Amino acid sequence: MTGSTPTPPKLSKSRFGSTVPSQADLALLSQPLTLPFSGKVIKNRFCKAALSESLAGAEGQFDKDHLDRFVPLYDAWAAGGSGLVLTGNVMVDRTMREMEHNVSVEDSRDLGRLKVWAQTVQKHGAALYAQISHPGRQTHAHLTKNPVAPSAIPVSNFHPLMSFNTPRELTTEEIQSIIARFVKTSEVLYEAGFDGIELHAAHGYLISQFLNPRTNERTHDQYGGSLENRARFLTEVVEGIKKVTPKEFSIGVKLNSVDFGRRRQGGAGGEEEVDEHLEEAVQVAVMLEGLGVDFIEISGGSYESFATGLLDGKGVPDGSPNATNNTAAAGDKKTKKVATTSSSTQKREAHFAVFAERISRALKTTKIILTGGFVTASAMADSLKSNHSSGTHIDMVGLGRTVCQEPDLPNLILSGAVTGGVRLPKTPGGFFDDVFICGGNIRRMANGKHPVASLGRLAVSCDHYAYSMDYAKVAVHKVKTIFS
């Protein structure tokens, strides 16, 4: 893109940012990235982050009717310019799902349709990675009556209309059986032509539950206690996948900042406690590099973290139009809700940058993807500028909600046409309304329609109401339990 004259920028009050990237920034964003262990070449530095599509069958099946909705959706994202495309959660066990309509891959029954999914993305020069996962204890009560986890520690109900059943502690034999499921799912996806997989070790799901000392209290076997033991589930999954797939099949891991503490100003333990927990995250990252993991995606949060205000103090991701910007002096209870990027976003514009920087300093070859809060093109480019004096590096930018409103945002940025993503309308429900808007737009794209972002068009969009039905089932179950 650097040799052509960019299209005049679409400067608009409905977009984030005020300036288009410089030619040097465009060159950085469009630069191919070679992954260190598989040798895969990603055509640019944009990663379409994982987003639950909720488009499979009610039992996780992936029939032709479901494929017919995945194809236009993923065609839109891949044609839009993302170099690496991550799927939503692909479950390794159809009896244990994060959401009712997650795709489940346990065996080769859907191999032909999985091949079409991969080819849909790859024909645009993008790489397709399946994010594979097991929810552990974090599966809604109406889906799983008897969830499992490293330890029998229940999920704190983060929303009054959602509920989770208390999990049963896994036996050692069951743990090894689930590891085998991750390996089998990866083998099938390799056979289907996927470029790789990303292990979901974040957001409070099963792998995250093993890593986290607050959810893993095992003392009687090799999967609990020390950091090495808590990481064993993850490392054995990676080792197992390596044994059944060739070197060219790429493995990434999504790691969670919350599992290793979070940055706080003041509070119990202070900065020293957080530093200790972040050091554990660094050690896990180094373990993964030693096993040949191509990239680590840095993310954060879990269902419980929303309840404790992990993100901006109100359970809203920084950079969301529903985020709050505290403009008052210390001790003043007044906050001002703004539609512009908050001060912390202006400084770094990525929720988990401190975590990412700490890890990147320790890694020699494994690449870092940073996902969360990017809304301006200039900040995306700035994040990729290595700090050679400190040894930090971010190698790709992960985009989620922004490409639900505008799947071709990477192409628009690389053409020099826009300053950043489209602003979502401000809504009274905060982050969960953002999720509603994005989920509805995923359904619109799956039905061959364009996304919408205005409140008026959202109000008459059948696709958005259809998406909300998934959450309505969760709420109905909660109400039934209250009155039973």
Side-chain angles (χ1 to χ4, degrees):
M1 292 297 176
T2 56
S4 60
T5 302
T7 305
K10 298 178 181 178
L11 299 178
S12 169
K13 290 182 179 179
S14 64
R15 284 194 182 275
F16 288 97
S18 57
T19 59
V20 295
S22 67
Q23 290 296 303
D25 286 348
L26 291 176
L28 188 58
L29 288 164
S30 62
Q31 183 179 17
L33 177 68
T34 301
L35 299 180
F37 297 103
S38 66
K40 292 279 183 193
V41 178
I42 309 300
K43 68 178 182 179
N44 60 36
R45 301 306 179 96
F46 289 104
C47 169
K48 177 260 153 192
L51 298 156
S52 283
E53 308 93 354
S54 293
L55 294 172
E59 301 297 329
Q61 65 267 38
F62 190 56
D63 298 333
K64 182 182 182 301
D65 289 344
H66 310 119
L67 175 65
D68 288 345
R69 304 185 77 186
F70 275 81
V71 166
L73 172 63
Y74 276 84
D75 187 73
W77 275 325
S82 295
L84 193 159
V85 177
L86 290 169
T87 73
N89 270 333
V90 172
M91 312 313 295
V92 302
D93 183 347
R94 66 183 59 226
T95 69
M96 299 277 180
R97 301 191 307 283
E98 166 238 356
M99 292 291 289
E100 183 173 0
H101 295 282
N102 290 138
V103 173
S104 298
V105 176
E106 297 176 310
D107 49 42
S108 299
R109 76 185 77 176
D110 298 320
L111 186 62
R113 288 180 285 276
L114 292 170
K115 287 181 178 180
V116 174
W117 189 2
Q119 293 161 2
T120 297
V121 170
Q122 292 162 347
K123 72 181 181 183
H124 295 288
L128 181 63
Y129 284 59
Q131 179 181 266
I132 64 175
S133 182
H134 186 298
R137 67 178 191 156
Q138 201 166 266
T139 175
H140 297 292
H142 78 287
L143 286 179
T144 310
K145 292 183 179 179
N146 300 298
V148 295
S151 301
I153 299 172
V155 179
S156 299
N157 288 332
F158 81 113
H159 190 279
L161 291 180
M162 291 190 177
S163 60
F164 305 88
N165 292 319
T166 299
R168 172 180 60 79
E169 182 176 300
L170 287 160
T171 67
T172 304
E173 293 73 19
E174 287 174 325
I175 290 171
Q176 293 164 350
S177 175
I178 296 175
I179 289 171
R181 283 183 175 275
F182 275 92
V183 173
K184 181 61 178 179
T185 297
S186 301
E187 186 177 21
V188 172
L189 291 166
Y190 162 69
E191 293 170 355
F194 279 61
D195 293 279
I197 57 93
E198 180 186 63
L199 297 171
H200 198 338
H203 299 178
Y205 298 117
L206 184 63
I207 301 178
S208 170
Q209 291 161 30
F210 272 98
L211 290 169
N212 192 330
R214 295 185 293 275
T215 52
N216 182 353
E217 296 182 347
R218 302 177 74 90
T219 58
H220 55 279
D221 65 11
Q222 67 270 36
Y223 295 102
S226 68
L227 176 62
E228 181 181 6
N229 281 354
R230 285 185 278 117
R232 191 179 304 279
F233 183 95
L234 172 58
T235 58
E236 288 187 357
V237 169
V238 174
E239 290 169 342
I241 296 170
K242 291 281 186 181
K243 288 178 181 177
V244 300
T245 59
K247 172 180 175 291
E248 294 75 23
F249 188 69
S250 178
I251 300 175
V253 174
K254 179 183 284 186
L255 272 186
N256 201 354
S257 56
V258 177
D259 288 342
F260 306 98
R262 61 180 187 237
R263 291 189 73 85
R264 296 187 296 269
Q265 294 181 353
E271 197 69 24
E272 290 184 3
E273 179 186 345
V274 175
D275 283 348
E276 179 184 345
H277 292 158
L278 286 178
E279 181 55 33
E280 285 199 345
V282 171
Q283 292 177 47
V284 171
V286 171
M287 290 179 199
L288 294 172
E289 183 175 60
L291 293 173
V293 167
D294 269 332
F295 66 82
I296 293 173
E297 182 188 5
I298 302 301
S299 186
S302 65
Y303 282 153
E304 288 185 318
S305 71
F306 290 112
T308 57
L310 163 71
L311 301 174
D312 77 339
K314 300 292 182 182
V316 181
D318 207 12
S320 161
N322 291 300
T324 56
N325 184 19
N326 191 346
T327 58
D332 190 337
K333 295 182 179 179
K334 294 182 179 179
T335 59
K336 180 181 179 182
K337 189 169 274 191
V338 295
T340 57
T341 313
S342 70
S343 59
S344 60
T345 303
Q346 292 168 355
K347 179 180 179 182
R348 179 56 64 176
E349 204 170 358
H351 308 322
F352 317 112
V354 172
F355 184 55
E357 289 173 356
R358 189 77 60 88
I359 286 178
S360 71
R361 283 199 293 267
L363 298 179
K364 296 180 174 62
T365 54
T366 293
K367 305 303 182 183
I368 296 289
I369 301 175
L370 185 57
T371 298
F374 285 112
V375 290
T376 66
S378 57
M380 296 173 199
D382 287 345
S383 73
L384 298 175
K385 296 173 182 176
S386 300
N387 186 332
H388 297 291
S389 62
S390 65
T392 61
H393 62 93
I394 304 299
D395 303 289
M396 294 193 76
V397 173
L399 302 178
R401 293 193 303 283
T402 53
V403 292
C404 289
Q405 324 321 316
E406 208 165 32
D408 59 344
L409 181 61
N411 279 342
L412 289 171
I413 290 173
L414 292 176
S415 71
V418 298
T419 60
V422 172
R423 296 182 190 276
L424 290 173
K426 289 187 290 184
T427 51
F431 171 65
F432 293 102
D433 280 1
D434 291 352
V435 173
F436 165 74
I437 293 168
C438 294
N441 278 333
I442 285 174
R443 294 219 172 187
R444 288 185 65 85
M445 289 187 282
N447 290 327
K449 304 173 186 176
H450 293 293
V452 297
S454 71
L455 283 174
R457 295 187 68 188
L458 286 168
V460 297
S461 171
C462 295
D463 301 280
H464 288 74
Y465 289 108
Y467 178 79
S468 68
M469 291 306 296
D470 287 340
Y471 285 95
K473 291 179 183 179
V474 176
V476 167
H477 182 274
K478 177 66 174 182
V479 171
K480 286 182 177 178
T481 60
I482 292 172
F483 291 101
S484 62

